[in-house]
Amino acid sequence: MRKKNELAVDKILECAKDEFLEKGFEGASMRTIAERAGYTTGMVYGRFADKSELFRELVEEGANKLFDYFSNSEEDFAKLTPERQREEMHSYVEAKLDDMIDIIYDHFDAFKLIVCRSAGSGYEYYIDKMIEIETASTVRFINALDGAGIKTNEVRADLSHMLSSAMFNGVFEVVAHDLPKEEASGYIKQIHDFFTAGWQKILGLE
């Protein structure tokens, strides 16, 4: 049986989630969260220092799990030989995207907050950080191919960043639009197919 304090924390977090979803991080109020939960503001502050801590408590687990999985996947791909990177680029990314979808939908409310309601919070640039990693990984991939004698067309770093941004923001649209998981999987597969074909064309690897 859960203790009284644990039940109070659960209630505060649930009401905080509703407040953030309705008003966003910047518009949310600790006072209103307390009122929603039926507690005094002092009682809420006694458990959470500020709304940043509340927001972090709601999103941290899912955010860290996805970010770590994505980062590790990029590092593991870089350890493959250039020949295998070229051969497995499509299948490797497709498999990792499937796992990322699982993580996103296992923590859907957290990613709804990050994608749609995080302005002003410590998670405002969460997706941008993933885009930076993807951009650097793309440059590393091109350099690995070139170093192995697999000729590619020159690609500007800013173009790589633009394309990475378009892909990641496209992927997270499934959260913004509340797509069911099965529908989201099909949508993201199409995005992946589109960008894979585009990159092959740009790099001259068709």
Side-chain angles (χ1 to χ4, degrees), residues 11 26 41 56 58-59 66 68 101 104 117 122 148 157 166 205:
K11 180 67 173 178
E26 292 180 323
T41 305
R56 183 172 61 252
L58 288 166
V59 306
L66 181 66
D68 290 345
I101 292 169
I104 290 169
R117 296 290 185 264
L205 295 175

Side-chain angles (χ1 to χ4, degrees), residues 98-198:
D98 285 341
D99 290 340
M100 289 172 68
I101 292 169
D102 287 339
I103 295 171
I104 290 169
Y105 276 80
D106 285 344
H107 303 273
F108 191 84
D109 286 347
F111 286 102
K112 185 72 175 183
L113 289 170
I114 291 171
V115 173
C116 302
R117 296 290 185 264
S118 64
S121 78
Y123 290 84
E124 180 174 2
Y125 300 107
Y126 176 86
I127 298 174
D128 297 273
K129 292 176 183 177
M130 297 181 77
I131 291 168
E132 292 298 333
I133 292 174
E134 177 68 17
T135 302
S137 296
T138 301
V139 172
R140 183 169 59 187
F141 168 68
I142 294 170
N143 289 338
L145 295 187
D146 289 344
I150 303 171
K151 190 63 179 175
T152 63
N153 296 329
E154 183 177 354
V155 179
R156 288 170 52 116
D158 55 358
L159 175 60
S160 177
H161 183 272
M162 291 176 196
L163 293 173
S164 296
S165 179
M167 186 187 75
F168 269 84
N169 282 294
V171 166
F172 281 105
E173 281 293 297
V174 302
V175 176
H177 290 279
D178 297 310
L179 295 186
K181 184 178 179 181
E182 184 176 346
E183 187 176 341
S185 296
Y187 171 86
I188 291 174
K189 184 182 185 306
Q190 288 181 315
I191 289 177
H192 176 234
D193 289 344
F194 176 85
F195 278 97
T196 297

